[in-house]
Amino acid sequence: MASVSPATAAAAVSGPHYTRLLLPSSPRRLPRPRPRPRARLHLAACHADTLLPSSSSEVRAPPAPAAGPSAESAADCFVDWLRAGGLPPGRVDIRERPVPCLREGKDRPLRYVAARDALQAGDVAFEVPMSLVVTLERVLGDESVAELLTNNKLSELACLALYLMYEKKQGKDSYWYPYIKELDRHRGRGQLAVESPLLWTENELDYLTGSPLKDEVIARDEAIRREYNELDTLWFMAGSLFQQYPFDIPTEAFPFEIFKQAFVAVQSCVVHLQKVSLARRFALVPLGSPLLTYKSNCKAMLTAEGDSVRLVVDRSYKVGEPIIVWCGPQTNSRLVLNYGFVDEDNPFDRITIEASLNTEDPQYQEKRMVAQRNGKLAIQNFNVFVGKEKETVAEMLPYLRLGYISDPAEMQIILSSEGDTCPVSPCTERAVLDQLVGYLESRLAGYPTTLDEDEAKLADGSLEPKKEVASRLVRLEKKMLHACLQAANEFINDLPDHTISPCPAPYAPELK
C-alpha cells in the first residue's frame, strides 16, 4: 500500500484496463481551426475561471443546491462524470455551503465532501478509480520524458497545469471537462474561501507586512514566472502530447497571469504519493482537495490501492460532517501559501531565526569548525515551535557566545577541547542576550499592528476573509516572538548581576 501526503499530493498505479493513453501519439499535427473571437479575461472577479478565461457568451447557472451521489444538480455534471468514470458507491456526499466574497457581492458556493453515513475510524469513506486520476504518467505517457522534464526546469505542477489548460480549451470535448469545471468553481480557494496570496493584489499582500511569508510569496511568484518562460520547452520535447491540440505554443496561447492561476489551482489540490515512480508522484484526485478539509492533527491520508485511490478515515463522523485529511507537516505560513488557510492547532507551526557567523571575523574558520563539531552550520536556522520557545533560546545561546570570542588563545583552547566549551562570563552572556532581545524587538516592530490589536480585530469578527487569514497568521507569529522575548529577558534576570554592562563584540553573529 502506498500512502499519500496531501501536503504535496496522490499518484496511482494504473491497471491494465487503463494503460491506453488519452492522447494520440501520431506525429501529424491536426489542422488549425479558423480564427475565433478571443475570449474575454476575468482575472480578478469573484467568478473568474482559474484554468482559462471564460467565454464572454457563457451563461452561468445559479448556485446549485447541495449535490451528492444521491442528489445531483442538473446544472453540474461533475457527479455524473464521477459515476460514469466508475466511481463505486461510497459513504460520502458532495455538499456545498455559501461563502461571502466582499469584493463583488456573493462568491460561488464552496463544495466539500461530507459523510453520508455515520463513519467509524478505519472505515473506507470512498475509492476513486485510476481512470479519474491525473498523473504525469497519464499526461505524458512516457515516464522517461516525465523524469527528464521534472529533473530539468519544469516542475510537476507546471506540467499538470499546462495539460489542464489545453484540455480546458477543448471545452466539452475534453474528457476532463467536468473535473476542470469543478476546479474552476473553487479557483484555488481553500476551506476558508481564500485563495493563495499568490493571487492577492499588492494592497492585499500588505496584510502580510512583517511576516516572512510576504517575501516567500514574491519569491514563489518569480519561480512560477521562470517556469512559465520554460513552457515552450515542454511543447517541443513532448510533441506527442500537444499534437492533438491545434493551438499556439504555450507562451503564445496563455498569458502569464492565466498560467499562474492554473498553477495555483493545481498547487492547492495536488496530492503526493510516496514510494512510487517520479511520473506517478504527483496527481490530481477528484474527491480529494479542495473538496476535502485539511487538518494538521489528522492522521487520515489518501492511499493508492491497486487500481484506485482510497481514503480510510481516522475518526468517527456524524452524517453531514466534513471529511478531514492530514495536510502534512507544514507550517501555517506554508498552509496559507498553498491553500489559503491557517490551522490554529497546528503542531508543526514554527518561525525561524537565522544566525550566522561573521565572515569578516579573523577567527571565522576556527569558529566554523567549532560550530560544525557541535552540529551547527556557519549559517544556522533555529526553528521556534509553539510552546518550545524557551528551549530554542537556550539552544541558540552557545552558538551566539561563539561569535563573541575574540582572544585567539581562548579560541585555541576551545578548538582543542571537545563539545560545547565556550566560556560563559556575565558580560558576554549579557551581550548575547541583549543582542537577541534587540533582534526580537526589531522583528516585532516590523509588523504594522500589535498583538493586542490583532486579537481585537479577530474578536470583532468583521474582517474581510483575506485580512482575517493574514491576521491569524501574523498573530501566531507574534505570539512565538513574544514568548522568545520573554524567555530572553528571564535569562537576563537570572544572571548573577543582571545590571552588568555587555562586553563589546566587533564580530557578533548576525541575526535575521
Side-chain angles (χ1 to χ4, degrees):
M1 178 178 74
S3 62
V4 177
S5 170
T8 42
V13 182
S14 292
H17 182 67
Y18 300 122
T19 54
R20 185 176 62 86
L21 297 181
L22 287 174
L23 306 178
S25 57
S26 168
R28 179 179 59 86
R29 276 196 182 276
L30 297 180
R32 292 181 178 270
R34 287 180 294 181
R36 292 177 289 181
R38 187 174 297 273
R40 181 184 302 172
L41 300 182
H42 299 273
L43 297 180
C46 279
H47 299 311
D49 280 349
T50 299
L51 295 172
L52 262 188
S54 298
S55 169
S56 59
S57 61
E58 179 181 351
V59 178
R60 288 194 184 276
S70 59
E72 302 95 325
S73 165
D76 186 1
C77 58
F78 181 57
V79 174
D80 288 336
W81 176 74
L82 290 173
R83 280 180 156 183
L87 183 73
R91 305 182 66 182
V92 298
D93 283 332
I94 299 175
R95 303 192 177 192
E96 65 182 30
R97 59 177 178 267
V99 293
C101 178
L102 301 186
R103 283 192 295 181
E104 293 187 7
K106 292 290 184 178
D107 204 353
R108 302 184 72 184
L110 281 177
R111 288 183 174 166
Y112 64 98
V113 172
R116 189 185 65 191
D117 305 324
L119 298 174
Q120 302 298 321
D123 287 346
V124 176
F126 61 79
E127 291 190 60
V128 179
M130 288 309 306
S131 58
L132 297 173
V133 176
V134 186
T135 66
L136 277 188
E137 183 179 60
R138 190 176 183 88
V139 169
L140 298 176
D142 185 338
E143 186 170 317
S144 62
V145 174
E147 292 186 6
L148 175 63
L149 291 170
T150 53
N151 281 326
N152 192 6
K153 296 181 179 179
L154 284 169
S155 68
E156 293 94 333
L157 301 187
C159 295
L160 290 171
L162 182 59
Y163 173 70
L164 291 183
M165 289 164 71
Y166 274 114
E167 284 292 313
K168 172 71 180 290
K169 271 206 163 190
Q170 297 200 111
K172 294 184 179 181
D173 291 336
S174 170
Y175 172 75
W176 304 106
Y177 173 78
Y179 184 34
I180 292 171
K181 192 173 180 67
E182 185 66 21
L183 294 179
D184 277 342
R185 167 186 282 273
H186 281 265
R187 275 189 4 266
R189 294 176 296 168
Q191 55 214 48
L192 298 181
V194 173
E195 303 97 331
S196 164
L198 288 164
L199 300 180
W200 294 10
T201 66
E202 288 187 16
N203 288 338
E204 290 167 342
L205 280 179
D206 287 341
Y207 301 155
L208 297 171
T209 297
S211 172
L213 178 57
K214 188 173 183 179
D215 288 337
E216 289 182 43
V217 171
I218 295 171
R220 178 75 68 88
D221 185 86
E222 292 173 350
I224 294 173
R225 186 175 291 276
R226 287 194 296 271
E227 291 209 72
Y228 173 77
N229 292 332
E230 293 293 332
L231 287 181
D232 294 350
T233 301
L234 179 59
W235 170 276
F236 292 115
M237 292 182 65
S240 62
L241 167 63
F242 296 106
Q243 280 162 2
Q244 87 156 16
Y245 300 119
F247 307 117
D248 294 331
I249 61 175
T251 54
E252 295 179 7
F254 308 108
F256 170 70
E257 288 301 323
I258 293 297
F259 171 72
K260 184 168 77 169
Q261 289 178 26
F263 187 98
V264 172
V266 170
Q267 168 187 273
S268 70
C269 61
V270 72
V271 288
H272 181 222
L273 186 64
Q274 307 290 333
K275 299 178 182 179
V276 295
S277 67
L278 181 63
R280 294 176 174 176
R281 186 171 62 172
F282 285 82
L284 302 173
V285 183
L287 294 187
S289 178
L291 295 174
L292 293 174
T293 301
Y294 278 152
K295 285 290 289 183
S296 300
N297 57 6
C298 179
K299 296 180 180 179
M301 298 189 299
L302 291 168
T303 57
E305 296 279 357
D307 292 338
S308 66
V309 175
R310 66 165 55 176
L311 176 66
V312 178
V313 298
D314 70 332
R315 62 192 68 192
S316 299
Y317 289 92
K318 297 178 182 178
V319 174
E321 288 186 330
I323 301 297
I324 298 171
V325 295
W326 187 46
C327 54
Q330 301 187 72
T331 63
N332 273 319
S333 62
R334 189 54 58 88
L335 292 180
V336 173
L337 181 62
N338 290 338
Y339 314 115
F341 80 96
V342 171
D343 186 348
E344 300 277 353
D345 301 317
N346 186 355
F348 305 101
D349 197 23
R350 64 183 182 272
I351 57 173
T352 300
I353 299 176
E354 180 186 288
S356 57
L357 299 174
N358 193 323
T359 56
E360 296 182 0
D361 188 338
Q363 301 181 91
Y364 169 77
Q365 293 297 339
E366 290 84 353
K367 292 179 180 181
R368 184 176 64 84
M369 290 174 60
V370 173
Q372 290 178 340
R373 190 174 66 190
N374 288 278
K376 300 293 187 292
L377 302 172
I379 301 177
Q380 178 66 40
N381 286 330
F382 292 90
N383 293 319
V384 181
F385 288 88
V386 178
K388 302 290 185 181
E389 294 88 354
K390 190 167 186 177
E391 289 88 336
T392 304
V393 170
E395 182 189 1
M396 293 179 64
L397 295 181
Y399 187 92
L400 297 178
R401 292 182 197 126
L402 182 62
Y404 281 77
I405 302 298
S406 57
D407 185 352
E410 193 173 39
M411 192 71 244
Q412 288 304 313
I413 293 174
I414 295 172
L415 280 171
S416 61
S417 60
E418 294 183 359
D420 176 22
T421 56
C422 288
V424 180
S425 66
C427 70
T428 298
E429 200 72 351
R430 182 58 189 265
V432 167
L433 290 167
D434 276 2
Q435 181 187 7
L436 184 56
V437 166
Y439 161 79
L440 293 168
E441 290 177 341
S442 174
R443 185 159 168 177
L444 283 165
Y447 295 95
T449 57
T450 66
L451 181 57
D452 289 340
E453 289 171 339
D454 293 337
E455 297 280 11
K457 289 179 180 178
L458 289 168
D460 180 70
S462 61
L463 290 176
E464 182 269 332
K466 292 176 183 175
K467 195 165 190 176
E468 178 179 348
V469 168
S471 296
R472 290 187 182 279
L473 175 68
V474 299
R475 179 189 61 173
L476 293 172
E477 292 175 348
K478 292 173 192 176
K479 281 185 175 181
M480 287 184 275
L481 289 170
H482 274 290
C484 287
L485 182 59
Q486 180 181 348
N489 282 318
E490 288 175 358
F491 279 117
I492 290 176
N493 292 332
D494 289 342
L495 292 175
D497 181 3
H498 62 268
T499 63
I500 192 169
S501 299
C503 298
Y507 301 110
E510 182 182 2
L511 295 173
K512 63 180 180 178

